[in-house]
Each structure stands twice: as C-alpha cells, then as structure tokens.
Amino acid sequence: AIKAWEYEQKHTSVVVASNQTLKLWVEEWITVGLRLLEIRASTVDSYRTLAQIHLVPSRFARIKLKEVSPHQVKVFVAELRDKGLSTSTIRTMHTILNHIFRMAIDKNQLRVNPMASVRRPKQDAREQVRFSADEVRRLLEAAKGSRYYFVIAFIALTGVRRGEALALNWDEVSFDARCVQINHTLERSKGFEEKYELRIGPTKTKRGKRAIEIGSSGTELLRKAKASQASERLRAGTKWEDEGLVFPTKFGTKCDPRNLYRAVATAVKK
C-alpha cells in the first residue's frame, strides 16, 4: 500500500476539474488508479486493455469530467452494445467507469458518481458448450501421441478449467482416495511487470476450491502421466526444474496455457 501511495504521489499532478476531460482521468487511472486496486494480475491486464481500446479513443472520453451525466454514460454503454461487445465485457466496462469516478471523488474533483443511477447489465445465462461422448472420444484419439494427451484427457474426464489443470500439484492428488483437490489456477498475465509471466494463484472464487473424485479411470490416467513425467525427467537431466506440477513442460516448469490450446486445436482439426 505504501509503495502504491508513493507511486501515486510521484505520478499525479494537481489539475482543475473544470478543464479536465474524462480521457485524462482514464489515463491517470490506468497509470495510478489500477495500482491501488487489490486485484489479480490478469484482471489488471483486462481492465487496462478494455480502457485503452474502448474508453480512451471514444467520443465519450472527450467530455469534461464535471459534465458527465448518467444519460451520457447510458449512451456510451449503448454504443458499446451496438459495436457487438458482450454483456460480460459491458459489465466490466461499468466496473471500470465506477473505479474511475470514485478516484475522482476521492481526489475531491467530483461530487457525485454518475454511475450511481446507471444499472449494471445483468449477466446473460451462459449456455455451456458440451461435447458428445463420441466427440470426446475422437478428440482423445486425435490427441494420442501428443505430450499434452494426459492433460487433455484429464480435463475431459473432470471438467476442470485449463488453468486449474495446469496448476495441479502432485501434493493435491490422492491415489488412495481417488480424488484431486483443486486449490489454484495458472494464468499468463502481465500486471505491472514489463513482460507477461506464468503465475499460479488461488482460484477466482472460494467455491472454486473443491475436491473432485476421479475414480479408477482418472487414477489410472494420472499414474500413467506420472510415469511419463518420470521418463521426461530422465531425458531432461540437469535441465529439469521440479515444481511439483502434474502437467508441466518437458523440463518440469509451468506450461503456457496457449500451448495447450494449440494442442487441442491441432487435435480438433485431425
């Protein structure tokens, strides 16, 4: 918190609200305000990207801060919807604007948050994409021979998310109880660093932490994955970095989710 405060003191200039456009506040929020939020690095990436793409270049951002009204916000939201943005993205934009106006209020540059009377869109009920048993069988058949076969099969068997599978540690696997404990997720994010990194952190929600029964087929799958990993470890020799992961790279390190996505895409095309 102290570091964020020092950063804000260094990068924030005193401005007159009547002459300042919303765009300047958006840019200041991207530089300073984001650092004050206690959010995941991937969320920082998402907020920053959406603000830079949809807010900074918009006509809406040219309005002076003190002149922004709830009606103008609603018009901007309607424009986003007309551009084809999903309800989920518009909900995130609503959150971003809320943070920006709250920052202005905290700095005594705005008295009333115009978002107070702008209803956040309800989340659409997501229709899950489900594969038939035959489609799953054909996918796994096509993935055979790929070093990503075990993680693909594990996801197909358990329904866990890609990041959750790639963050799974051997300490979270119980062969005797035939279950795994999902506690973490792996993500590729930048946050406030200079480059993107692979990070393992807690699941997005408390409900995300759960125990999953994998039965005899799942247990056998993970035993084979462990045997395959032992072979890769021998081949890697001194290059192996043991992070305890169930589905690592051939050198034992975190697997980039994009590589798993490419492996699945390749299998689907077969």
Side-chain angles (χ1 to χ4, degrees):
I2 294 177
K3 186 177 180 181
W5 180 84
E6 292 175 343
Y7 187 93
E8 181 180 17
Q9 294 299 307
K10 182 179 179 181
H11 289 79
T12 303
S13 57
V14 178
V15 293
V16 180
S18 59
N19 295 324
Q20 192 174 26
T21 63
L22 175 59
K23 177 182 177 181
L24 293 178
W25 274 96
V26 175
E27 292 173 338
E28 182 171 332
W29 179 78
I30 291 174
T31 304
V32 179
L34 263 175
R35 292 177 176 270
L36 303 178
L37 301 179
E38 296 181 359
I39 54 179
R40 302 162 68 98
S42 59
T43 305
V44 170
D45 294 346
S46 175
Y47 283 5
R48 179 171 51 219
T49 299
L50 289 176
Q52 290 173 334
I53 293 176
H54 299 296
L55 258 178
V56 173
S58 69
R59 291 183 302 170
F60 176 61
R62 300 174 196 167
I63 302 172
K64 291 181 179 179
L65 177 68
K66 70 171 186 177
E67 296 175 355
V68 177
S69 68
H71 173 72
Q72 289 167 320
V73 174
K74 292 175 183 178
V75 171
F76 175 62
V77 169
E79 290 175 349
L80 294 179
R81 190 176 291 109
D82 291 340
K83 288 168 62 176
L85 269 65
S86 67
T87 300
S88 177
T89 299
I90 293 176
R91 283 169 57 85
T92 303
M93 291 298 295
H94 187 286
T95 300
I96 290 171
L97 286 170
N98 230 329
H99 283 307
I100 293 170
F101 291 128
R102 284 177 180 175
M103 182 179 72
I105 291 173
D106 288 344
K107 290 177 176 291
N108 297 316
Q109 298 296 315
L110 193 65
R111 289 186 177 182
V112 180
N113 186 343
M115 302 303 294
S117 57
V118 179
R119 183 179 299 177
R120 192 180 188 211
K122 291 184 178 180
Q123 181 64 62
D124 293 335
R126 295 182 180 179
E127 183 177 345
Q128 291 186 330
V129 178
R130 297 183 181 277
F131 294 95
S132 67
D134 185 58
E135 288 174 326
V136 172
R137 181 191 60 76
R138 283 188 280 127
L139 172 63
L140 295 180
E141 188 65 31
K144 282 185 177 179
S146 166
R147 70 172 309 279
Y148 295 98
Y149 171 78
F150 292 114
V151 64
I152 293 173
F154 179 75
I155 292 174
L157 175 70
T158 61
V160 300
R161 296 176 177 85
R162 177 178 57 177
E164 292 173 340
L166 295 178
L168 188 64
N169 195 287
W170 285 116
D171 290 339
E172 298 165 328
V173 176
S174 174
F175 288 109
D176 293 334
R178 295 181 176 180
C179 72
V180 297
Q181 183 69 42
I182 301 298
N183 295 316
H184 305 92
T185 187
L186 182 149
E187 62 184 24
R188 179 180 180 271
S189 56
K190 183 177 181 181
F192 298 108
E193 304 300 326
E194 293 184 0
K195 60 182 181 179
Y196 284 90
E197 296 180 0
L198 297 179
R199 297 180 173 89
I200 291 180
T203 55
K204 290 186 177 181
T205 63
K206 290 182 179 179
R207 292 180 62 185
K209 290 187 176 183
R210 60 204 187 278
I212 298 178
E213 295 183 3
I214 57 176
S216 57
S217 58
T219 302
E220 181 63 21
L221 176 71
L222 292 185
R223 288 191 189 281
K224 289 180 179 179
K226 195 162 191 176
S228 176
Q229 186 178 118
S231 297
E232 285 193 328
R233 184 168 187 163
L234 287 175
R235 288 194 293 271
T238 57
K239 293 181 179 180
W240 182 267
E241 297 180 34
D242 191 7
E243 296 187 24
L245 298 170
V246 177
F247 305 113
T249 66
K250 61 182 179 180
F251 296 115
T253 55
K254 301 177 188 67
C255 176
D256 192 321
R258 297 176 302 170
N259 293 336
L260 174 55
Y261 175 82
R262 294 186 189 106
V264 172
T266 300
V268 169
K269 292 178 181 178
K270 289 184 178 180

